[in-house]
Protein backbone atom coordinates (compact mmCIF):
# COMPACT_ATOMS: atom_id res chain seq x y z
CA UNK A 1 0.00 0.00 0.00
CA UNK A 2 1.52 3.31 -1.10
CA UNK A 3 0.95 6.40 0.95
CA UNK A 4 1.28 9.97 -0.17
CA UNK A 5 3.84 11.82 1.93
CA UNK A 6 2.46 14.81 3.79
CA UNK A 7 4.04 18.12 2.87
CA UNK A 8 6.58 19.36 5.36
CA UNK A 9 5.31 22.27 7.44
CA UNK A 10 8.55 24.14 6.81
CA UNK A 11 7.59 24.52 3.14
CA UNK A 12 4.42 26.38 3.97
CA UNK A 13 4.88 30.11 3.38
CA UNK A 14 5.40 32.31 6.39
CA UNK A 15 2.46 34.67 6.81
CA UNK A 16 4.32 37.90 7.52
CA UNK A 17 3.84 41.45 6.32
CA UNK A 18 6.15 44.32 7.28
CA UNK A 19 5.55 48.02 6.92
CA UNK A 20 7.72 49.70 4.30
CA UNK A 21 11.08 50.93 5.63
CA UNK A 22 11.80 54.64 5.78
CA UNK A 23 8.34 55.83 6.80
CA UNK A 24 9.58 57.11 10.14
CA UNK A 25 8.61 55.83 13.58
CA UNK A 26 5.45 53.75 13.78
CA UNK A 27 3.57 51.85 16.47
CA UNK A 28 3.36 48.57 14.54
CA UNK A 29 6.10 47.38 12.22
CA UNK A 30 4.02 44.69 10.55
CA UNK A 31 1.85 41.66 11.18
CA UNK A 32 2.51 37.97 11.65
CA UNK A 33 -0.07 35.19 11.42
CA UNK A 34 1.49 32.03 12.88
CA UNK A 35 0.06 28.66 11.90
CA UNK A 36 -0.11 27.25 15.44
CA UNK A 37 0.05 28.29 19.07
CA UNK A 38 3.40 26.51 19.53
CA UNK A 39 5.88 29.34 20.11
CA UNK A 40 8.87 26.99 19.96
CA UNK A 41 7.86 25.94 16.44
CA UNK A 42 6.69 29.30 15.12
CA UNK A 43 9.27 31.76 16.49
CA UNK A 44 12.32 30.24 14.74
CA UNK A 45 10.62 30.59 11.34
CA UNK A 46 9.74 34.21 12.11
CA UNK A 47 13.24 35.12 13.28
CA UNK A 48 14.87 33.49 10.22
CA UNK A 49 12.54 35.41 7.87
CA UNK A 50 13.31 38.88 9.22
CA UNK A 51 15.23 41.27 6.98
CA UNK A 52 19.02 41.04 7.21
CA UNK A 53 19.03 44.80 7.84
CA UNK A 54 17.43 44.19 11.24
CA UNK A 55 19.93 43.59 14.03
CA UNK A 56 20.19 40.19 15.70
CA UNK A 57 17.21 39.73 17.99
CA UNK A 58 18.14 38.97 21.63
CA UNK A 59 14.78 39.39 23.41
CA UNK A 60 11.20 38.62 22.43
CA UNK A 61 8.17 39.67 24.47
CA UNK A 62 4.81 38.02 23.80
CA UNK A 63 1.43 37.61 25.42
CA UNK A 64 2.07 34.21 27.01
CA UNK A 65 -1.66 33.44 27.14
CA UNK A 66 -1.61 33.16 23.33
CA UNK A 67 0.96 30.35 23.27
CA UNK A 68 0.67 26.73 24.43
CA UNK A 69 4.30 26.49 25.60
CA UNK A 70 6.41 29.26 26.99
CA UNK A 71 10.06 28.46 27.67
CA UNK A 72 12.26 31.15 29.21
CA UNK A 73 14.63 31.07 26.25
CA UNK A 74 15.00 29.44 22.88
CA UNK A 75 17.99 28.61 20.69
CA UNK A 76 17.61 29.81 17.11
CA UNK A 77 20.47 29.52 14.61
CA UNK A 78 23.03 29.05 17.42
CA UNK A 79 21.81 32.19 19.18
CA UNK A 80 19.94 32.23 22.50
CA UNK A 81 16.87 34.45 22.52
CA UNK A 82 15.35 35.37 25.88
CA UNK A 83 11.56 35.15 25.98
CA UNK A 84 9.52 37.49 28.17
CA UNK A 85 5.85 37.55 29.12
CA UNK A 86 3.86 40.70 28.39
CA UNK A 87 2.51 42.22 31.58
CA UNK A 88 -1.11 41.62 32.49
CA UNK A 89 -3.86 39.39 31.14
CA UNK A 90 -5.05 42.15 28.80
CA UNK A 91 -1.72 42.47 26.96
CA UNK A 92 -2.23 43.21 23.27
CA UNK A 93 -1.61 40.56 20.64
CA UNK A 94 1.84 41.75 19.72
CA UNK A 95 5.31 40.30 19.46
CA UNK A 96 8.04 42.71 20.52
CA UNK A 97 11.45 41.94 19.02
CA UNK A 98 14.44 43.66 20.65
CA UNK A 99 18.06 43.96 19.62
CA UNK A 100 19.62 45.82 22.59
CA UNK A 101 21.15 49.12 21.51
CA UNK A 102 20.15 48.48 17.90
CA UNK A 103 16.39 48.48 17.59
CA UNK A 104 12.91 47.38 18.56
CA UNK A 105 10.19 46.08 16.27
CA UNK A 106 6.57 45.39 17.21
CA UNK A 107 4.48 43.02 15.14
CA UNK A 108 0.75 42.43 15.42
CA UNK A 109 0.35 38.71 16.16
CA UNK A 110 -2.85 37.48 14.56
CA UNK A 111 -4.04 34.47 16.59
CA UNK A 112 -3.40 31.26 14.64
CA UNK A 113 -7.00 30.05 14.57
CA UNK A 114 -8.40 33.33 13.24
CA UNK A 115 -10.68 32.95 10.23
CA UNK A 116 -8.82 33.63 6.99
CA UNK A 117 -10.89 36.66 5.96
CA UNK A 118 -10.42 38.36 9.34
CA UNK A 119 -6.71 37.50 9.45
CA UNK A 120 -6.17 38.91 5.97
CA UNK A 121 -7.98 42.11 6.99
CA UNK A 122 -5.83 42.47 10.12
CA UNK A 123 -2.63 41.79 8.17
CA UNK A 124 -3.54 44.37 5.53
CA UNK A 125 -4.50 46.94 8.17
CA UNK A 126 -1.23 46.50 10.06
CA UNK A 127 0.81 46.67 6.87
CA UNK A 128 -0.93 49.70 5.41
CA UNK A 129 -1.47 51.68 8.61
CA UNK A 130 1.76 53.58 7.98
CA UNK A 131 2.24 53.52 4.25
CA UNK A 132 1.24 51.92 0.96
CA UNK A 133 1.38 48.17 0.51
CA UNK A 134 4.70 46.82 -0.76
CA UNK A 135 4.28 43.19 -1.96
CA UNK A 136 7.97 43.18 -2.95
CA UNK A 137 9.09 43.34 0.70
CA UNK A 138 8.96 39.57 1.14
CA UNK A 139 8.56 37.98 -2.28
CA UNK A 140 9.77 34.63 -0.90
CA UNK A 141 7.05 34.59 1.77
CA UNK A 142 3.76 35.76 0.25
CA UNK A 143 0.46 35.32 2.01
CA UNK A 144 -1.59 32.43 0.64
CA UNK A 145 -4.28 33.38 -1.84
Amino acid sequence: MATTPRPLRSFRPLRLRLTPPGNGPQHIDGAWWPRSDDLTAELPRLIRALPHSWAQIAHVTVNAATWSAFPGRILIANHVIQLHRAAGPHAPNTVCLIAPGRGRWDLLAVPPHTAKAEAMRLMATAESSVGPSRPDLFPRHPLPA
Side-chain angles (χ1 to χ4, degrees):
M1 170 193 270
T3 59
T4 305
R6 293 178 62 188
L8 295 174
R9 291 180 74 175
S10 62
F11 292 134
R12 295 171 75 183
L14 185 69
R15 301 180 296 191
L16 174 67
R17 290 287 191 228
L18 299 177
T19 56
N23 283 351
Q26 57 241 0
H27 294 290
I28 294 291
D29 298 294
W32 174 46
W33 183 22
R35 296 184 181 279
S36 76
D37 63 358
D38 183 352
L39 187 63
T40 61
E42 299 293 339
L43 190 59
R45 291 188 68 217
L46 172 64
I47 297 294
R48 287 186 191 109
L50 296 175
H52 293 286
S53 62
W54 289 21
Q56 190 170 37
I57 304 300
H59 301 275
V60 175
T61 301
V62 298
N63 179 350
T66 303
W67 305 98
S68 62
F70 193 87
R73 60 182 180 242
I74 188 170
L75 182 66
I76 301 174
N78 294 323
H79 181 71
V80 175
I81 296 177
Q82 299 294 319
L83 301 177
H84 307 278
R85 296 176 190 270
H90 302 291
N93 288 330
T94 59
V95 174
C96 177
L97 308 166
I98 300 173
R102 306 283 312 278
R104 170 186 169 151
W105 299 272
D106 294 302
L107 302 176
L108 170 70
V110 177
H113 303 296
T114 303
K116 183 177 179 179
E118 177 64 5
M120 298 294 277
R121 184 190 68 74
L122 290 168
M123 299 277 293
T125 300
E127 180 186 26
S128 64
S129 64
V130 175
S133 176
R134 290 261 320 269
D136 58 298
L137 274 176
F138 271 92
R140 297 178 309 148
H141 305 290
L143 284 172

